[in-house]
């Protein structure tokens, strides 16, 4: 059996993607001055214990950025402060709200697929997997359609130039500074959008954040701008990779692809399995608030931890035949969307967007495959596992 990782040599420097387990569930990485955690039970315990394993890791980073970029960043907060922000954001992603978006998501998907009609070659990412979630999150935020290309360009560059590991490497300081500088126009744009909502509120997420009040306190402009940009970037990149990775996994497993085509009830399972096999967010960062034992290893206080979700999702002690893509895997308790207080607030929307996209794609193209002469391109970031370009043939 040739796995999807082997076929396309995804992240060649990561052995556990190839079924080679680390010697220990916890290893110290001297280059990054951080502890890597791989085992499922250990990672699960870390993400579910925010008191011992804090998300406030910026103070341990080798490279820091202006604090104004972190204000309102829920990924760098712990309860109860994190809970307050999360409540504000989650109002836009409740099951009821997401359910009400399904017809619009289907319409957008159909319009994108209409534009591919008659093509013998498509780029699944550029023509469907990327624009679909971008349009959806832009509409939720209230971003004018005429401005989408602006933030697509800025957010793409920001994602590709920054990754969680770069902040641990002092030699990356110049690259980080360049990425932050390049994202400044997006910050300025969001400030303009917020100013407009304060003058003329409407039924969108930015207006909702501007009007929100908890415990007698309203969010500052900087908090709203950072939250909006976080939603913009995080709100599309995971879904983009989820759609692209699922199709790539199916292409690498023709028997699975045939089953899913015939039985569409397997599509949700295929999506979950792709998140397990190719976890878009491969790693998180945490800080130990006290000396603690993790999988038999003593880790001192005030240490940087990198719990590798993608490695935990391939732990053979939790998943039978973990390197095999199985669209019917059940149960499938992967950690691809995190767990606990930081569980991805947009997971429900990502699942709905991806399910609709894959189903409509299969409806339109009875024949769909990756040409070996036009291999996919992957995000280079070590903490992202996903396609950024996926050329496919339709005939």
């Amino acid at each position: 059996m040739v796995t999807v990782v082997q076929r396309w040599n995804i992240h060649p420097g990561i052995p556990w993607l190839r079924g080679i387990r680390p010697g220990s569930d916890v290893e110290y990485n001297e280059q990054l001055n951080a502890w890597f955690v791989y085992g499922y039970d250990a990672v699960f315990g870390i993400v579910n214990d925010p008191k011992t394993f804090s998300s406030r890791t910026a103070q341990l980073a080798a490279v820091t950025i202006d604090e104004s970029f972190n204000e309102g960043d829920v990924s760098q907060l712990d309860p109860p402060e994190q809970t307050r922000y999360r409540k504000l954001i989650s109002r836009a992603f409740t099951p009821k709200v997401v359910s009400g978006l399904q017809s619009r998501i289907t319409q957008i998907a159909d319009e994108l697929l209409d534009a591919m009609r008659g093509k013998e070659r498509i780029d699944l990412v550029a023509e469907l997997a990327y624009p679909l979630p971008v349009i959806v999150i832009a509409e939720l935020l209230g971003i004018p359609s005429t401005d989408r290309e602006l933030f697509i360009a800025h957010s793409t560059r920001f994602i590709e130039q920054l990754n969680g590991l770069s902040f641990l490497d002092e030699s990356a300081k110049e690259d980080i500074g360049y990425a932050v500088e390049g994202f400044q126009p997006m910050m300025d744009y969001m400030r303009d959008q917020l100013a407009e909502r304060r003058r003329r509120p409407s039924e969108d997420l930015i207006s909702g954040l501007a009007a929100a009040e908890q415990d007698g306190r309203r969010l500052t402009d900087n908090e709203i701008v950072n939250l909006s940009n976080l939603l913009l970037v995080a709100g599309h990149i995971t879904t983009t990779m989820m759609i692209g990775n699922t199709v790539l996994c199916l292409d690498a497993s023709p028997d699975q692809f045939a089953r899913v085509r015939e039985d569409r009830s397997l599509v949700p399972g295929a999506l979950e399995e792709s998140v397990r096999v190719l976890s878009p967010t491969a790693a998180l960062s945490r800080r130990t608030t006290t000396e603690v034992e993790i999988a038999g290893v003593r880790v001192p206080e005030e240490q940087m931890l990198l719990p590798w979700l993608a490695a935990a999702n391939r732990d053979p002690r939790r998943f039978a035949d973990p390197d095999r893509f199985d669209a019917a895997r059940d149960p499938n308790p992967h950690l691809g969307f995190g767990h606990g207080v930081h569980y991805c607030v947009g997971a429900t929307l990502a699942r709905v967007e991806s399910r609709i996209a894959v189903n409509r794609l299969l409806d339109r193209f009875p024949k769909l495959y990756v040409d070996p002469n036009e291999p996919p391109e992957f995000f280079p970031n070590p903490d992202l596992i996903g396609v950024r370009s996926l050329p496919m043939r339709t005939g």
Side-chain angles (χ1 to χ4, degrees), residues 376-388:
E377 294 180 12
F378 297 87
F379 283 97
N381 316 45
D383 60 343
L384 291 179
I385 303 178
V387 287
R388 62 177 179 180

Side-chain angles (χ1 to χ4, degrees), residues 11-23:
H11 284 322
I14 302 180
W16 44 259
L17 273 177
R18 288 151 180 78
I20 303 171
R21 298 300 301 170

Side-chain angles (χ1 to χ4, degrees), residues 232-277:
L232 170 63
V233 174
H236 79 268
I237 189 61
T238 299
T239 307
T240 294
M241 289 191 284
M242 190 175 180
I243 296 169
N245 288 355
T246 298
V247 175
L248 190 72
C249 286
L250 289 171
D251 177 80
S253 305
D255 59 328
Q256 297 282 316
F257 207 166
R259 288 182 61 196
V260 172
R261 273 195 179 278
E262 184 177 348
D263 181 3
R264 297 300 181 80
S265 69
L266 291 173
V267 168
L271 292 166
E272 298 301 319
E273 181 71 339
S274 79
V275 174
R276 185 190 70 81
V277 171

Side-chain angles (χ1 to χ4, degrees), residues 11-183:
H11 284 322
I14 302 180
W16 44 259
L17 273 177
R18 288 151 180 78
I20 303 171
R21 298 300 301 170
S24 170
D25 282 345
V26 182
E27 294 181 341
Y28 178 68
N29 185 288
E30 291 187 7
Q31 179 183 352
L32 298 180
N33 190 28
W35 298 81
F36 286 12
V37 184
Y38 304 107
Y40 184 94
D41 289 345
V43 171
F44 186 86
I46 289 170
V47 297
N48 282 283
D49 184 0
K51 184 176 180 180
T52 305
F53 306 101
S54 171
S55 294
R56 293 182 179 273
T57 59
Q59 65 200 67
L60 297 181
V63 182
T64 60
I65 59 176
D66 192 296
E67 182 61 29
S68 63
F69 278 89
N70 291 326
E71 189 180 4
D73 181 358
V74 291
S75 68
Q76 280 286 316
L77 297 176
D78 298 318
E81 189 178 9
Q82 181 263 0
T83 306
R84 181 173 66 86
Y85 284 105
R86 187 178 177 89
K87 284 181 179 178
L88 293 175
I89 298 171
S90 62
R91 294 171 185 172
F93 300 98
T94 64
K96 181 179 180 180
V97 170
V98 172
S99 178
L101 292 172
Q102 290 192 63
S103 61
R104 176 57 182 150
I105 294 170
T106 302
Q107 180 185 8
I108 296 169
D110 284 340
E111 290 173 355
L112 294 170
L113 288 163
D114 285 344
M116 302 181 212
R117 186 180 288 120
K119 291 186 177 182
E120 294 185 358
R121 178 194 179 279
I122 62 172
D123 185 329
L124 184 70
V125 172
E127 298 180 68
L128 177 65
Y130 193 85
L132 174 63
V134 165
I135 293 171
V136 172
I137 194 63
E139 291 186 353
L140 283 173
L141 287 166
I143 303 297
S145 59
T146 53
D147 294 342
R148 286 176 194 151
E149 291 301 321
L150 168 71
F151 69 72
I152 286 174
H154 287 300
S155 63
T156 299
R157 186 169 66 172
F158 189 72
I159 290 167
E160 294 191 3
Q161 290 176 340
L162 279 187
N163 64 76
L165 303 190
S166 62
F167 288 97
L168 305 181
D169 186 351
E170 194 167 336
S171 66
K173 185 174 183 178
E174 185 175 342
D175 291 337
I176 291 175
Y178 180 71
V180 170
E181 181 182 347
F183 198 65

